[in-house]
Amino acid sequence: MPLKAPNLDDRDFQSLVADALRRVQENCPDWTDLSPHDPGVVLLELFAFLTETMIYRLNRLPEKAYIEFLRLLGVNLNPPTAASVRLRFILAKAQKTAVEIGRGTRVTLNRTSGDGGAPIFTTLETVVLAAGQTEIEATAYNCELVEAELVGHGTGLAGLSLSALRPPIIARTSDELEFILGVETAPDELTERPRTIESGGKIYRIWEEVSNFSNLGGRQYVYLVDRVTGTITFAPAVQGVADDGTLEFTPSPLGAKPAEGREIRLWYCRGGGADGNIAANNLTVLKTPLAAGVTVTNPQAATGGRSVETLENAILRAPQEFHSLERAVTANDFELIALRSSGAVIRAKAFTKAALWRHAAPGTIEVLLVPNVPEEVKSGDKISLEDLQNQATDEARADVRLALNERRPLGTTCLVNWVRYKKVSVRARAVTHRGADPESAKNRILKRLYQSINPLPSKVSSGWSFGRPLRASHIYDIILAEKDVAYVEGISLHVDEVPELNLNRNSLAADAFQPSTWYAAADSNLFRSTDDGDGWELIGDFAGEEILSIQANRNKAGLLAVATRLADNSSKLYVSADCGETWRVAAVMSFIINETAWSVRDGSVNLLLLATDEGLYELLLQSEATPVQVLVDENNPKLGFYAVTTSVGARGTYYVAAAARSTGGVFLSTAGGKSKTFSKLGLAGEDVRVLEMQQDGVRTFLWAGISVAGNEAGKGCVRWELQGGAAPTSATDFSNGWEGGSCHGITFGSSYAFAATHEKGVLWLDLGKGESAVWQKPILESGLPIRDVERIFQPTYAVAANAATGKLLAGGTRGVYRSTDNGASYEKSSEKDFRDKVTLPETWLFVSGEHEIEVEAENEKRGS
């Protein structure tokens, strides 16, 4: 049971009057008129009123004591933060000379706010429009500059307290918003070259702001500041403990004291608050005169403004603040500091990255942020994905990163990123009780859905939980919470972005390190599933480019490569070191990259091999590295390649195989793919577009899939066993039982080989039967999409397997299909509509799409 401080006296006006009248009846029988008009009763009521006022003040003593205890612990109200914005200054006509826009330039709205004063934004940097330039941008903050404000003089005594003249002082969220306190200093006193500032011909030593006077570590020129009240406190003097355990006679100052008569001046920014969260294109009025022809606007909204913390919130926050001790140790500490350090953040989630990702370095903490969306930006109760993305500014993220880096434990790495979202829409039919208004009920249902499926706190929710799936049962609960609803039916959950169509060759990959994780590409979009295909999330949008190949590294966790084709038939190569969370452009080539393969050089250097239309290339994973051509056929240096694959044999042999274009056959290197180390393996005259390495215990096999024209039955696959540094002299032909035309992809389960075909879905081969194995085909009712007229399967272009879990994914023109029984049956794994639940990665949040709710009144004749 929580402890609750009682009122010291719980009597109110009515009870005081009643007690007094009771005493009158007991002790004054001759006083018979006790009506409100009697003069004596009026006096009693007057004293009761005065007594109630005194009781009220008395009962505030516990609150007063609580606040003073908080002050002793160093817990103060959090100051306001200033909204920031990028202002664009525009010249109507280019000038022959430079135009300077100085620090302190002020910009405001083209209208006044309701209280009569519009927010003013001030630039804290000087920018210059060079000659011939017509536009430039500068960061501005919702604040006023106060410079060299004289707040008092030193007394030479410890514990001096002064006050800024124009509080509140905004919270420091960047170096530009630094609070500076300077104490007048003689030049000969600056022997250790401290930070100084000059004003009015005098030099001022800049003192350091601290959160308390303990553990100063040799720092002497320190002070405390309460930014809300503007109170500045210098170090006091205290009696220390002597060696014999007694108090020293003379108090010793905990820090330096401003010398007597020395000026103390302040440089700071005041103002801030939630009023500064201004929508785009509203800051158009210059308060500071600039050169003729200069106009200003804000292309993006101003974000990050937060008002002074309320006392009620400070009382609730105090226990958490006390336990954190100004250091980020637990996940809760990181979250609290993130929330305190920026008004643009409303939720934060911290986690140990290595607990979720195999590629993460030990000691790495990631803090995910949810931006605060001001009320004036919201579209009613609905929070759109665009609203969230517009408020997620780089400036706010930098503020949080700065605050966390100051408090993180030594030896840890702290990453700060904005949360990623998955959009989901609800479709349902609700029936109201007789007599209820369906339209009104529909509006309330939609409001409740938008407030519940929401990453931000709302009246009905503290915000959707990280990683929590959305289930149909949640929707039932949300809708049935409306009292006018009799029942709900037809619930479905809809997501917009899945790998639904147009998967091509090399567009599926299983992650060898991250459990239950797969990648799928459809057109320009790259998706990831962390639950074996139950749900997909968009992790890469390569707009204007077509993804041709995905390759997950089998030797190092986190590494992922994506090759794309641009409209002019050039290619880009992207690399990620964190399972697709972030990307960098590793190479741009003027011809097509058909496939990539990971390899290793000198035992530890990761590199990529690129099969392109104009040769085989290798690229080291180093900054500024460029692709270097690998000479495969000395007689044909411009020979192009469709496919490349790599493996490491049991004896440490690095194998690289490449399939040449123009039926040029298969080449093999046993020296890690170095130039001039390739020999022709075979299949010259065959159209080989698929190569795959199989590691079976200590044995290594190279498989090649053959493509054919039109509706030919196909030729199946060929396999070589690779042993040591010598190229194999014979191959095994696996064409027995093959149907379906071209082979588009090969993958391997624990004891099966699977092949994606053009017409017969995914064939499988029992590897336990050795060279006598016969390809098996799925029945038409297996679940793979079929072409009804021809009674054959739609083309299957990609296939990937996870031997550890027995999962198999197949992809083609109709999306992704999953099998858990070695290819005998399939279910679609890239549906947009769900009846049961929509899954969510552990670090993502849901955001509402457009909900579609049909509401009608209960049919009185039909009944309930």
Side-chain angles (χ1 to χ4, degrees):
M1 179 178 179
L3 296 174
K4 183 177 181 180
N7 286 337
L8 301 181
D9 192 330
D10 58 1
R11 292 175 296 172
D12 59 11
F13 174 80
Q14 295 296 338
S15 63
L16 290 168
V17 171
D19 287 345
L21 292 176
R22 210 165 22 248
R23 295 291 296 273
V24 168
Q25 290 172 336
E26 292 174 356
N27 300 316
C28 304
D30 295 334
W31 189 347
T32 57
D33 185 5
L34 299 180
S35 68
H37 305 289
D38 183 76
V41 173
V42 172
L43 287 173
L44 288 177
E45 290 180 344
L46 174 61
F47 282 114
F49 170 75
L50 294 174
T51 303
E52 183 185 42
T53 302
M54 288 190 294
I55 290 173
Y56 167 75
R57 295 176 68 87
L58 176 67
N59 284 332
R60 295 197 64 188
L61 278 175
E63 180 183 351
K64 169 70 172 175
Y66 193 92
I67 293 172
E68 292 303 322
F69 288 145
L70 293 182
R71 197 186 307 277
L72 283 173
L73 293 172
V75 177
N76 295 315
L77 296 181
N78 282 329
T81 58
S84 64
V85 68
R86 290 291 287 178
L87 294 178
R88 180 175 295 168
F89 295 90
I90 305 168
L91 264 175
K93 183 179 180 181
Q95 303 293 315
K96 295 182 179 179
T97 58
V99 176
E100 181 179 283
I101 299 168
R103 180 177 186 269
T105 298
R106 300 188 303 156
V107 177
T108 188
L109 298 172
N110 56 7
R111 55 178 172 81
T112 58
S113 61
D115 59 3
I120 294 177
F121 283 74
T122 306
T123 63
L124 301 183
E125 59 180 338
T126 297
V127 295
V128 178
L129 278 160
Q133 189 178 2
T134 59
E135 288 187 6
I136 196 167
E137 290 191 354
T139 301
Y141 295 88
N142 173 215
C143 67
E144 298 177 53
L145 287 175
V146 179
E147 298 190 319
E149 179 181 87
L150 179 63
V151 293
H153 295 78
T155 61
L157 301 176
L160 175 64
S161 181
L162 302 168
S163 291
L165 304 182
R166 301 183 64 195
I169 303 164
I170 64 175
R172 178 184 179 181
T173 54
S174 66
D175 289 341
E176 291 85 358
L177 301 177
E178 182 183 11
F179 175 87
I180 296 177
L181 181 147
V183 177
E184 182 186 352
T185 306
D188 57 0
E189 296 174 352
L190 303 175
T191 56
E192 71 277 26
R193 302 183 64 185
R195 289 180 64 201
T196 60
I197 190 170
E198 187 175 349
S199 177
K202 297 180 179 180
I203 298 176
Y204 296 82
R205 179 196 289 267
I206 296 176
W207 287 39
E208 181 181 356
E209 178 186 349
V210 294
S211 57
N212 55 69
F213 293 117
S214 61
N215 301 317
L216 293 179
R219 295 174 294 173
Q220 290 294 309
Y221 298 94
V222 294
Y223 64 92
L224 307 180
V225 59
D226 184 334
R227 293 172 181 259
V228 175
T229 64
T231 302
I232 300 159
T233 305
F234 293 91
V238 297
Q239 290 178 276
V241 179
D243 294 338
D244 60 0
T246 61
L247 287 177
E248 294 177 343
F249 180 77
T250 304
S252 300
L254 297 178
K257 302 169 291 186
E260 184 178 359
R262 298 293 178 86
E263 290 184 355
I264 301 173
R265 293 185 179 271
L266 306 179
W267 289 257
Y268 61 92
C269 297
R270 69 164 310 277
D275 289 343
N277 298 318
I278 304 298
N281 302 314
N282 276 280
L283 296 171
T284 57
V285 177
L286 284 165
K287 298 282 285 185
T288 301
L290 295 177
V294 176
T295 60
V296 66
T297 188
N298 59 312
Q300 302 295 328
T303 60
R306 181 180 63 194
S307 300
V308 176
E309 183 181 26
T310 63
L311 176 60
E312 292 77 11
N313 190 74
I315 292 174
L316 295 174
R317 173 177 59 85
Q320 298 171 320
E321 188 85 8
F322 175 65
H323 288 293
S324 71
L325 298 177
E326 290 294 318
R327 283 167 176 76
V329 178
T330 67
N332 190 52
D333 295 339
F334 280 90
E335 293 164 8
L336 286 172
I337 292 170
L339 292 173
R340 272 178 37 197
S341 58
S342 175
V345 177
I346 197 168
R347 290 180 67 189
K349 175 69 173 178
F351 63 93
T352 304
K353 197 162 185 178
L356 296 180
W357 300 102
R358 298 291 175 86
H359 62 264
T364 301
I365 306 296
E366 183 166 19
V367 180
L368 298 175
L369 311 176
V370 179
N372 183 22
V373 180
E375 290 297 327
E376 58 271 18
V377 176
K378 297 178 182 177
S379 305
D381 295 295
K382 180 184 176 183
I383 304 298
S384 70
L385 180 60
E386 293 72 22
D387 290 339
L388 292 163
Q389 292 172 339
N390 290 338
Q391 300 299 316
T393 63
D394 291 338
E395 291 82 3
R397 187 164 66 98
D399 296 340
V400 175
R401 184 169 57 242
L402 175 64
L404 289 172
N405 281 336
E406 291 175 347
R407 294 167 174 83
R408 62 180 173 84
L410 187 66
T412 63
T413 300
C414 185
L415 306 177
V416 180
N417 292 300
W418 293 107
V419 172
R420 305 184 81 165
Y421 306 95
K422 188 172 184 176
K423 187 187 293 185
V424 62
S425 304
V426 175
R427 296 168 181 168
R429 176 177 175 269
V431 178
T432 63
H433 294 294
R434 297 187 183 114
D437 179 14
E439 189 62 28
S440 176
K442 177 180 179 178
N443 292 335
R444 293 196 303 272
I445 290 171
L446 287 173
K447 180 177 181 179
R448 189 175 288 270
L449 284 170
Y450 286 126
Q451 289 180 338
S452 301
I453 308 172
N454 187 344
L456 306 182
S458 67
K459 294 180 180 179
V460 300
S461 168
S462 58
W464 196 265
S465 299
F466 283 84
R468 179 190 183 196
L470 176 63
R471 301 179 183 273
S473 59
H474 295 140
I475 307 305
Y476 282 110
D477 292 341
I478 293 169
I479 297 179
L480 290 174
E482 291 298 328
K483 58 183 178 57
D484 288 340
V485 176
Y487 61 91
V488 187
E489 60 187 13
I491 288 179
S492 68
L493 310 172
H494 178 82
V495 296
D496 292 332
E497 298 172 326
V498 295
E500 184 185 27
L501 299 171
N502 302 330
L503 275 78
N504 56 28
R505 186 180 290 121
N506 302 320
S507 61
L508 281 175
D511 196 303
F513 296 91
Q514 199 66 26
S516 305
T517 299
W518 305 73
Y519 307 95
D523 296 323
S524 63
N525 295 325
L526 179 64
F527 296 86
R528 183 180 65 205
S529 173
T530 57
D531 49 24
D532 282 324
D534 284 342
W536 295 90
E537 289 75 42
L538 181 66
I539 61 170
D541 182 2
F542 304 95
E545 306 173 34
E546 178 191 2
I547 299 176
L548 298 179
S549 173
I550 309 169
Q551 288 293 333
N553 195 305
R554 298 172 185 171
N555 300 308
K556 183 176 176 62
L559 283 180
L560 194 64
V562 165
T564 68
R565 173 169 55 200
L566 282 67
D568 60 357
N569 279 331
S570 61
S571 276
K572 282 187 179 180
L573 179 68
Y574 298 87
V575 173
S576 172
D578 51 15
C579 293
E581 293 286 293
T582 58
W583 295 91
R584 69 175 180 89
V585 177
V588 178
M589 308 190 80
S590 59
F591 38 83
I592 298 298
I593 301 173
N594 294 301
E595 190 179 19
T596 65
W598 291 98
S599 187
V600 178
R601 179 67 46 80
D602 300 327
S604 61
V605 179
N606 285 281
L607 59 88
L608 275 165
L609 290 161
L610 318 176
T612 79
D613 281 354
E614 297 193 14
L616 185 68
Y617 286 77
E618 70 172 26
L619 175 68
L620 295 176
L621 289 191
Q622 299 173 351
S623 60
E624 308 301 326
T626 58
V628 176
Q629 186 173 4
V630 176
L631 188 58
V632 176
D633 186 349
E634 296 185 61
N635 299 319
N636 188 2
K638 287 295 184 181
L639 179 64
F641 293 89
Y642 283 127
V644 61
T645 186
T646 64
S647 185
V648 181
R651 298 180 179 178
T653 304
Y654 287 85
Y655 298 110
V656 176
R661 290 167 54 90
S662 304
T663 66
V666 177
F667 293 79
L668 176 70
S669 167
T670 60
K674 296 179 180 179
S675 287
K676 301 181 182 181
T677 63
F678 287 83
S679 60
K680 185 172 288 188
L681 202 57
L683 295 184
E686 299 289 356
D687 189 2
V688 179
R689 304 196 180 197
V690 177
L691 289 179
E692 195 67 43
M693 291 283 189
Q694 178 199 3
Q695 201 70 41
D696 183 11
V698 297
R699 303 175 72 184
T700 303
F701 297 96
L702 170 64
W703 290 71
I706 301 173
S707 294
V708 294
N711 295 323
E712 295 182 23
K715 299 181 180 180
C717 300
V718 173
R719 186 184 77 175
W720 294 269
E721 181 168 8
L722 308 181
Q723 296 177 321
T729 57
S730 62
T732 302
D733 185 335
F734 284 106
S735 58
N736 193 8
W738 182 272
E739 296 184 53
S742 296
C743 175
H744 294 310
I746 304 171
T747 191
F748 307 98
S750 57
S751 58
Y752 291 89
F754 301 96
T757 72
H758 197 72
E759 295 180 345
K760 294 298 182 179
V762 179
L763 305 183
W764 70 88
L765 194 71
D766 187 348
L767 297 175
K769 296 182 179 180
E771 297 182 1
S772 62
V774 177
W775 290 101
Q776 306 294 317
K777 64 181 180 181
I779 60 175
L780 284 175
E781 294 76 20
S782 64
L784 289 173
I786 62 174
R787 290 179 272 183
D788 291 329
V789 176
E790 296 92 343
R791 303 298 292 169
I792 58 176
F793 291 105
Q794 294 282 351
T796 304
Y797 289 114
V799 64
N802 186 326
T805 63
K807 300 290 194 308
L808 174 70
L809 295 188
T813 57
R814 301 297 177 87
V816 180
Y817 289 77
R818 177 178 59 189
S819 173
T820 58
D821 55 7
N822 291 319
S825 64
Y826 292 83
E827 60 179 344
K828 192 166 185 182
S829 176
S830 57
E831 292 281 7
K832 286 188 172 182
D833 294 296
F834 300 83
R835 294 290 179 184
D836 180 26
K837 67 176 180 179
V838 176
T839 60
L840 191 68
E842 291 188 56
T843 58
W844 287 50
L845 288 173
F846 279 123
V847 63
S848 284
E850 295 292 336
H851 302 311
E852 299 178 14
I853 306 298
E854 178 187 350
V855 181
E856 60 183 66
E858 189 175 38
N859 189 320
E860 295 187 10
K861 294 182 179 179
R862 182 179 61 195
S864 60

